[in-house]
């Protein structure tokens, strides 16, 4: 199930993937067409770069590997020499990988989240992606980012985040009015906001939906300002909010 896409940072290739190993595996692929990229050191290094999420849709990938696939940005069927080229490999879910298939990314590029910021090419309107650029259009189509099931999932995730924020905002109001002016209430508010901000961070599943929902919600800024006025806004919250801003489509 595809959700939103966020910018990722590629790390250096795993030390096991020496030039010699790349050559051997590439030759082996050319001869046998076997899945030479299915090595734990490749898969583990890819998972580490995306917080164990699909690079295209942010779905959590199973560490056992059942729904994790090594995706070739430039398709292996057309570009055999890049079959274990580190810069060509991405962690992906089965759905995105299958949807993209052998689309020729050299003829018609799609967003590569390790190179491009997806927000330069796509925007979100009512749980649908609109393209801003030609690359965005191809990405949307090749990864089938607007199918109905996906839109429903986005809606539900967004709804949960807004409802939590609304509850916390209400609780803060009661705390300030003196109705529930206890340390326990205060701690629940602080803890609740910390959890929401964690869910909006790049290591969480569907972070882009949660961060977009939170930071564009009409209650967010008043909530943040009130927490600051009450001395309840910590440096950790500030850091987490900045991380959330790095994934939000706002
Ligand atoms: Zn995916």
């Amino acid at each position: 199930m595809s959700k939103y896409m966020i910018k990722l940072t590629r790390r250096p290739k795993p030390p096991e993937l020496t030039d010699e190993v790349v050559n051997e595996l590439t030759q082996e692929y050319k001869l046998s067409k076997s899945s030479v990229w299915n090595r734990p050191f490749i898969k583990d290094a890819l998972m580490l770069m995306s917080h164990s999420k699909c690079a295209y849709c942010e779905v959590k990938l199973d560490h056992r590997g059942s729904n994790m696939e090594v995706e070739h940005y430039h398709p292996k069927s057309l570009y055999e020499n890049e079959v274990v080229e580190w810069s060509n490999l991405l962690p992906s879910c089965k759905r995105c990988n299958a949807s993209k298939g052998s689309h020729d990314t050299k003829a018609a590029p799609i967003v590569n989240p390790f190179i491009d910021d997806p927000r330069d090419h796509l925007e979100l309107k009512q749980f649908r992606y609109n393209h801003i650029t030609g690359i965005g259009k191809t990405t949307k189509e090749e990864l089938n980012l607007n199918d109905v099931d996906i839109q429903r999932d986005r809606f539900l995730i967004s709804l949960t985040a807004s409802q939590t924020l609304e509850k916390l905002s209400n609780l803060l109001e009661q705390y300030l009015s003196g109705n529930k002016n206890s340390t326990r209430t205060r701690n629940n508010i602080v803890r609740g906001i910390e959890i929401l901000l964690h869910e909006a961070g790049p290591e969480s599943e569907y972070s882009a939906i949660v961060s977009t929902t939170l930071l564009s919600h009409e209650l967010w800024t008043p909530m943040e300002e009130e927490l600051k006025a009450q001395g309840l806004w910590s440096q950790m919250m500030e850091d987490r909010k900045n991380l959330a801003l790095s994934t939000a489509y706002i």
Side-chain angles (χ1 to χ4, degrees):
M1 292 182 293
S2 174
K3 305 301 184 297
Y4 292 178
M5 208 186 295
I6 63 171
K7 173 80 178 78
L8 297 168
T9 307
R10 184 169 291 276
R11 298 187 191 199
K13 66 178 183 175
E16 295 92 335
L17 197 62
T18 58
D19 291 350
E20 199 185 349
V21 170
V22 167
N23 280 336
E24 276 170 26
L25 294 178
T26 306
Q27 292 314 315
E28 190 184 329
Y29 176 73
K30 287 179 180 176
L31 290 170
S32 67
K33 298 286 181 280
S34 60
S35 305
V36 294
W37 50 85
N38 273 339
R39 311 279 149 146
F41 67 84
I42 291 179
K43 287 184 144 188
D44 290 350
L46 288 174
M47 292 284 261
L48 207 60
M49 296 194 311
S50 69
H51 308 286
S52 303
K53 295 186 289 184
C54 172
Y56 293 126
C57 77
E58 281 211 274
V59 72
K60 271 280 181 198
L61 298 171
D62 178 359
H63 264 289
R64 296 271 158 259
S66 63
N67 68 341
M68 187 269 185
E69 296 190 347
V70 176
E71 211 284 292
H72 296 85
Y73 179 77
H74 298 308
K76 54 189 180 291
S77 53
L78 299 175
Y79 305 101
E80 292 189 330
N81 285 328
E82 294 178 55
V83 79
V84 283
E85 173 64 43
W86 182 238
S87 62
N88 194 38
L89 307 180
L90 289 85
S92 158
C93 72
K94 278 189 198 308
R95 196 207 73 94
C96 288
N97 199 9
S99 179
K100 182 169 161 283
S102 57
H103 169 74
D104 187 351
T105 40
K106 293 201 185 185
I110 67 165
V111 170
N112 182 337
F114 286 107
I115 296 172
D116 313 305
D117 190 328
R119 297 173 297 184
D120 293 338
H121 302 278
L122 294 159
E123 62 178 12
L124 279 158
K125 286 272 165 68
Q126 301 291 330
F127 311 107
R128 286 175 62 84
Y129 271 118
N130 285 341
H131 61 267
I132 309 170
T133 64
I135 290 178
K137 183 170 190 288
T138 313
T139 307
K140 191 177 77 179
E141 291 168 357
E142 287 305 321
L143 296 174
N144 194 17
L145 291 175
N146 281 340
D147 86 40
V148 174
D149 286 347
I150 293 168
Q151 287 185 55
R152 188 200 54 219
D153 290 338
R154 287 177 188 146
F155 169 73
L156 292 174
I157 291 161
S158 173
L159 185 67
T160 304
S162 334
Q163 285 174 340
T164 307
L165 179 63
E166 283 153 24
K167 265 186 216 155
L168 290 169
S169 171
N170 191 276
L171 201 57
L172 181 64
E173 216 169 273
Q174 293 188 47
Y175 174 75
L176 295 174
S177 71
N179 281 345
K180 283 192 171 180
N181 198 338
S182 68
T183 308
R184 185 157 167 252
T185 305
R186 189 191 65 203
N187 290 346
N188 283 343
I189 296 164
V190 168
R191 186 74 194 121
I193 291 292
E194 284 172 354
I195 291 171
L196 270 181
L197 283 169
H198 178 80
E199 287 171 356
E203 67 276 74
S204 297
E205 193 170 38
Y206 316 136
S207 62
I209 302 177
V210 179
S211 61
T212 305
T213 302
L214 281 187
L215 300 178
S216 62
H217 198 293
E218 60 183 5
L219 291 176
W220 178 260
T221 304
M223 179 93 184
E224 182 183 328
E225 281 169 2
E226 197 56 63
L227 289 172
K228 282 176 179 164
Q230 298 296 319
L232 299 175
W233 185 262
S234 63
Q235 186 59 46
M236 192 251 264
M237 288 174 172
E238 184 66 22
D239 295 344
R240 290 229 150 254
K241 189 193 120 182
N242 287 330
L243 273 177
L245 277 170
S246 75
T247 68
Y249 281 73
I250 50 175

